Amino acid sequence: MPKISQKGQLMPESPIRKLVPYAEMAYKAGKTVYHLNIGQPDIKTPEVALDAVRVHSLDILAYTRSEGSENYRKKIAEYYKNNNIIVDHDDIIVTTGGSEALMFAFGSIMDSGDEIIIPEPFYANYNGFSTASNINVVPVISKFEDNFALPPIEEFEKLITPKTKAILICNPGNPTGYLYSKEEIQQLAKLVKKHDLFLIADEVYREFVYDNKEFYSIMQEESIADNAIIIDSVSKRYSMCGARIGYLVSKNKAFIKTALKFAQARLSPPTLAQIASEAALQTPKSYFDDVIEEYVERRNTLISELEKIEGVKVAKPNGAFYCIAELPIKDADNFAQWLLEEFDVNGETVMVAPAAGFYSTKGVGKNQVRIAYVLNKESLIKAVHILREGLKVYND
């Protein structure tokens, strides 16, 4: 029998999606499942984006340019300008989701065996992208007790070797919801400048910032124009996860020229999704005001309900729509599976994402879960009630 590649065997399963078969079995058993495991917002996609696809006048669904249509990229540049990020349309490559943007970035700046430093916990697929690119993640642990703030810069500096090519952050963070301050971004900027590294920032949750905090982009640090790479996406901003449109942004011309070769190899981003995403840029500010207000209420509801459960600790997020909770259990993977397979309250159960998969360091985060507060407040209250009742009877 032909053998599977070593790379294929090493590719990690998604901690978010690997429990899906158990959720499907729960559905088949007639149970209701509250999904706190995945960042799929229930917020409606802006009507202007959907209308643009409904009324398009295309006769042929043709390729677009590999870097995305010029008109769309010019409008993206305007969007950035309105967010105090000054870039030209030629600094932007439209990608098939933020995932492809990250893969293009890895392929453009790192060779096999090179290293990238990432504060953990981090978006689980960074592990998968790194494995696919034959590069090594070097984790620096941000602590639950510090609300997952940026680890001391000295901790990063200790990890830098001749193989180190970049530092990657997610801001605001998935899975933590932590929002990096301007001062923290400036510390990282000085570090990458000193060691001639790239600084990659996954900024897909830019709009989701709470408590009168301010978002600060790495691209606002002019001193690192040649070091800074932004990963972006329409998925969460406009509740358009299925569009699969992202952006790769950098003022480093050599980097963009290189990344474009990867884009050319996959031909072009999807045409209809670009039409929808371009139209989404017309979304009025009131849409985001309402969305932010809703997420703040959901976050506050979730945190309040979780804090009522004995033995549960939760880190309060200032951005995105996730939080990390520590549970009074030994293994969150087993607990999450048990909730779906064996437990329910009046025919209802809950699905969470075990947090160990968001770490690269083995054995860390075993008693933690990531919770996405993408459900309405009533559903969140029910879901946490189920979680509370489950913890009462669960036996490690």
Side-chain angles (χ1 to χ4, degrees):
M1 178 177 174
K3 290 185 177 179
I4 300 300
S5 70
Q6 176 100 6
K7 183 192 293 185
Q9 293 178 54
L10 291 173
M11 277 292 286
E13 283 186 297
S14 166
I16 306 165
R17 299 176 186 273
K18 68 181 181 182
L19 293 169
V20 167
Y22 301 103
E24 290 175 348
M25 285 190 286
Y27 282 126
K28 289 177 181 177
K31 297 179 184 179
T32 297
V33 180
Y34 292 99
H35 284 269
L36 302 180
N37 62 304
I38 192 166
Q40 171 61 66
D42 66 347
I43 304 295
K44 287 187 176 180
T45 302
E47 203 65 28
V48 66
L50 298 174
D51 284 343
V53 176
R54 292 187 185 111
V55 302
H56 76 80
S57 57
L58 295 177
D59 294 321
I60 300 173
L61 203 55
Y63 293 125
T64 64
R65 288 173 59 170
S66 294
E67 60 266 63
S69 77
E70 183 173 7
N71 191 55
Y72 180 31
R73 286 181 292 117
K74 285 181 176 179
K75 290 182 180 179
I76 297 168
E78 280 298 311
Y79 157 79
Y80 282 124
K81 183 179 179 181
N82 293 333
N83 284 271
N84 301 312
I85 300 169
I86 309 303
V87 294
D88 186 74
H89 73 282
D90 286 333
D91 300 326
I92 302 166
I93 294 176
V94 179
T95 58
T96 309
S99 300
E100 187 178 74
L102 201 58
M103 290 291 284
F104 287 177
F106 283 6
S108 299
I109 67 174
M110 287 181 280
D111 292 312
S112 181
D114 282 340
E115 298 172 351
I116 184 166
I117 300 173
I118 314 178
E120 61 178 356
F122 51 71
Y123 176 47
N125 280 335
Y126 295 164
N127 278 323
F129 300 147
S130 300
T131 300
S133 302
N134 285 326
I135 62 175
N136 299 316
V137 170
V138 178
V140 53
I141 296 179
S142 55
K143 297 180 180 178
F144 185 96
E145 304 77 50
D146 298 331
N147 213 36
F148 299 109
L150 187 76
I153 287 297
E154 309 84 72
E155 296 301 311
F156 285 87
E157 201 139 26
K158 289 177 189 175
L159 300 172
I160 295 174
T161 74
K163 285 285 189 181
T164 306
K165 295 297 185 289
I167 293 171
L168 168 61
I169 61 170
C170 185
N171 186 35
N174 174 9
T176 65
Y178 184 78
L179 176 70
Y180 290 110
S181 66
K182 178 179 179 179
E183 291 71 27
E184 288 173 320
I185 297 297
Q186 289 176 332
Q187 288 175 37
L188 287 170
K190 288 179 182 177
L191 182 67
V192 298
K193 190 76 173 175
K194 176 181 175 181
H195 292 278
D196 200 24
L197 305 175
F198 284 99
L199 178 59
I200 307 173
D202 183 340
E203 296 184 352
V204 306
Y205 298 97
R206 180 181 300 109
E207 268 75 13
F208 301 97
V209 174
Y210 316 129
D211 304 331
N212 297 313
K213 303 280 186 182
E214 288 191 11
F215 172 81
Y216 190 76
S217 172
I218 62 167
M219 208 68 86
Q220 290 173 261
E221 282 295 307
E222 295 181 6
S223 65
I224 58 166
D226 285 334
N227 308 72
I229 299 170
I230 288 179
I231 307 298
D232 212 341
S233 169
V234 306
S235 291
K236 309 305 164 77
R237 182 169 302 133
Y238 306 111
S239 196
M240 291 173 60
C241 296
R244 307 314 305 136
I245 290 291
Y247 319 141
L248 186 60
V249 189
S250 179
K251 294 183 181 181
N252 185 314
K253 300 303 181 185
F255 167 76
I256 289 293
K257 183 179 180 180
T258 303
L260 181 56
K261 290 187 284 187
F262 286 88
Q264 290 167 343
R266 64 84 167 98
L267 305 182
S268 74
T271 301
L272 282 178
Q274 285 186 82
I275 290 172
S277 300
E278 182 176 331
L281 290 167
Q282 302 171 38
T283 303
K285 182 177 180 296
S286 58
Y287 172 89
F288 296 106
D289 291 340
D290 291 344
V291 168
I292 296 304
E293 182 179 348
E294 177 66 22
Y295 275 125
V296 168
E297 289 186 16
R298 291 180 181 189
R299 179 203 61 176
N300 293 345
T301 299
L302 175 67
I303 300 296
S304 174
E305 293 300 310
L306 286 172
E307 288 179 339
K308 293 176 184 176
I309 305 176
E310 185 178 353
V312 170
K313 298 177 183 177
V314 59
K316 186 176 181 181
N318 287 124
F321 36 69
Y322 309 101
C323 72
I324 293 286
E326 282 192 351
L327 307 181
I329 57 175
K330 294 177 183 177
D331 191 315
D333 279 276
N334 292 340
F335 178 64
Q337 184 174 329
W338 174 83
L339 284 171
L340 294 169
E341 278 193 308
E342 301 181 35
F343 184 76
D344 66 87
V345 175
N346 298 323
E348 298 183 329
T349 191
V350 65
M351 190 173 181
V352 294
F358 295 90
Y359 289 85
S360 180
T361 303
K362 298 297 182 186
V364 180
K366 292 287 286 180
N367 67 333
Q368 298 175 359
V369 294
R370 187 196 73 167
I371 296 177
Y373 44 96
V374 292
L375 304 180
N376 62 57
K377 289 176 288 183
E378 293 74 19
S379 294
L380 285 173
I381 291 170
K382 285 183 179 179
V384 177
H385 171 70
I386 294 165
L387 194 66
R388 178 191 296 114
E389 295 305 307
L391 287 168
K392 286 179 182 177
V393 298
Y394 178 71
N395 190 342
D396 274 310

